[in-house]
Amino acid sequence: MRSFVFCVLSIFVCQLSAPVSVLQAEEDATTYSLRFKFTPGEFEHYAVDAKNQFTVELNQAKETTVNSTQTQKHYRVVAVDESGNATLETMIDRVQMSVQFNGGTPATFDSIQPVEKDLEQFVPIRKTIGRPSRIIYSPTGEVISVLELQTTSEGSTFKEVTKKGPEKLENDKSRSLGFLIPLPEDSVKIGDSWNEDFEAEVSVSKVLRKKVPIRRIFTLKSVEDNLAVISFKTKIMERLNDPKFSIQLIQKTPSGTIKLDMDKGVIVSQDVSLDKAQVGVFDGQGAMRAITSVVETLVDPASLAQKTAETAAE
């Protein structure tokens, strides 16, 4: 009798658990095509809040510099070709910056304030405000070419300065200009990863420079309500035994999380952080620590304009 009851219970449990297992397997097997979607005339605005802290120690001396930056930027979709490649016009609209040394009075900058108020150290920042660049992207976020605004006596026009093909795009330049991230060519399941390989240069001497391979590894963590959550981490792919090289790359290995609206094909947020230390940076002595956080968020341009107007009125 006891054996009969056990058999019945076993069958009942199996019947209950089987659909769950099937559903779990189906969920695990679901693949997703991650793509950016571009519509001519479309605008996307972002607010970026960044903070960098650098601490240097040598013997008994310790110095800390804290940089805080709030940036407003946007891109406009100028055109989309038959392959889905889009020409994006990117622009920095406003920068607010604060630089503080050893807890002292911070030096500040706000691009909406009169240029006469700018400190000399912020002049290069001022030159980037309101200056458009154009980048041609594929739907997977690959940079096809970069165009820069060039002004002559005959007027201003965008001209191609780099092109992918026989001559590979200069990685650092394309990445610094980019608003997007690389997406996988093929469909992926939750847990799948894809890589982005690029190089960064370090100074070996006053005239000699060395290229160091770096890999960024992206992983699809989850998909819910058509919002894809993508994590990433960064690895230096070459062993660097000399601290003078490592210190130049101290900010090159961030990690973070990116959220992509799969319906609209738009990044809605990026949360990036880094906490890296290097010892022996001064001929085998001393140490440096870099702490970075960057939060980028898709924003409504109307509310952004209202906030800017309120700030300017203060």
Side-chain angles (χ1 to χ4, degrees), residues 93-104:
D93 303 305
R94 181 185 181 185
V95 173
Q96 296 168 275
M97 183 175 289
S98 171
V99 180
Q100 186 180 45
F101 181 70
N102 279 346

Side-chain angles (χ1 to χ4, degrees), residues 25 42 46 50 52 96 109 114 131 159 188 191 226 230-231 266:
E42 168 192 8
Y46 292 88
N52 297 288
Q96 296 168 275
F109 169 79
R131 182 174 178 82
K159 290 189 176 181
V188 290
N226 278 310
I230 301 166
S231 68
V266 171

Side-chain angles (χ1 to χ4, degrees), residues 85 136-138 142-146 160 162-164 169:
N85 300 326
I136 300 178
Y137 283 106
S138 75
E142 178 186 16
V143 177
I144 306 299
S145 62
V146 177
E160 187 174 58
T162 50
K163 185 173 183 179
K164 191 161 186 178
L169 274 173

Side-chain angles (χ1 to χ4, degrees), residues 39-255:
T39 303
E42 168 192 8
F43 283 80
E44 299 296 350
H45 292 257
Y46 292 88
V48 185
D49 192 348
K51 184 176 181 179
N52 297 288
Q53 178 176 307
F54 301 94
T55 302
V56 179
E57 297 183 53
L58 180 60
N59 299 326
Q60 301 301 314
K62 181 177 181 181
E63 296 181 349
T64 299
T65 303
V66 179
N67 300 333
S68 298
T69 307
Q70 292 77 46
T71 304
Q72 298 173 11
K73 65 180 187 178
H74 77 272
Y75 70 76
R76 174 175 70 94
V77 181
V78 177
V80 181
D81 67 18
E82 63 277 1
S83 300
N85 300 326
T87 301
L88 304 190
E89 184 174 277
T90 65
M91 187 181 296
I92 297 174
D93 303 305
R94 181 185 181 185
V95 173
Q96 296 168 275
M97 183 175 289
S98 171
V99 180
Q100 186 180 45
F101 181 70
N102 279 346
T105 302
T108 60
F109 169 79
D110 190 340
S111 61
I112 67 171
Q113 298 299 321
V115 66
E116 293 79 14
K117 293 187 176 183
D118 293 354
L119 298 177
E120 185 176 354
Q121 68 198 83
F122 297 119
V123 171
I125 305 297
R126 168 74 67 179
K127 292 180 179 179
T128 66
I129 311 299
R131 182 174 178 82
S133 292
R134 291 187 176 181
I135 309 170
I136 300 178
Y137 283 106
S138 75
T140 59
E142 178 186 16
V143 177
I144 306 299
S145 62
V146 177
L147 302 94
E148 288 185 352
L149 186 64
Q150 299 181 2
T151 302
T152 64
S153 58
E154 299 179 355
S156 299
T157 183
F158 285 96
K159 290 189 176 181
E160 187 174 58
V161 292
T162 50
K163 185 173 183 179
K164 191 161 186 178
E167 298 180 0
K168 191 176 181 181
L169 274 173
E170 206 275 342
N171 288 289
D172 279 353
K173 184 169 188 178
S174 67
R175 291 189 59 75
S176 67
L177 288 173
F179 274 51
L180 309 182
I181 66 166
L183 297 175
E185 289 285 347
D186 300 324
S187 295
V188 290
K189 303 187 300 294
I190 292 173
D192 283 352
S193 298
W194 61 98
N195 299 332
E196 176 192 29
D197 293 316
F198 58 101
E199 295 176 329
E201 285 192 343
V202 296
S203 296
V204 178
S205 65
K206 290 184 178 180
V207 295
L208 185 62
R209 301 182 69 82
K210 168 186 173 67
K211 290 186 177 181
V212 178
I214 298 178
R215 173 168 293 174
R216 194 146 289 161
I217 305 165
F218 297 86
T219 302
L220 180 62
K221 302 298 289 186
S222 66
V223 175
E224 188 173 347
D225 296 329
N226 278 310
L227 186 69
V229 177
I230 301 166
S231 68
F232 77 89
K233 58 184 179 181
T234 315
K235 296 174 59 178
I236 296 174
M237 302 303 291
E238 179 180 318
R239 186 178 180 85
L240 300 175
N241 295 318
D242 193 333
K244 74 178 181 182
F245 297 149
S246 301
I247 196 65
Q248 296 177 59
L249 300 174
I250 197 168
Q251 286 189 289
K252 294 293 187 180
T253 55
S255 59

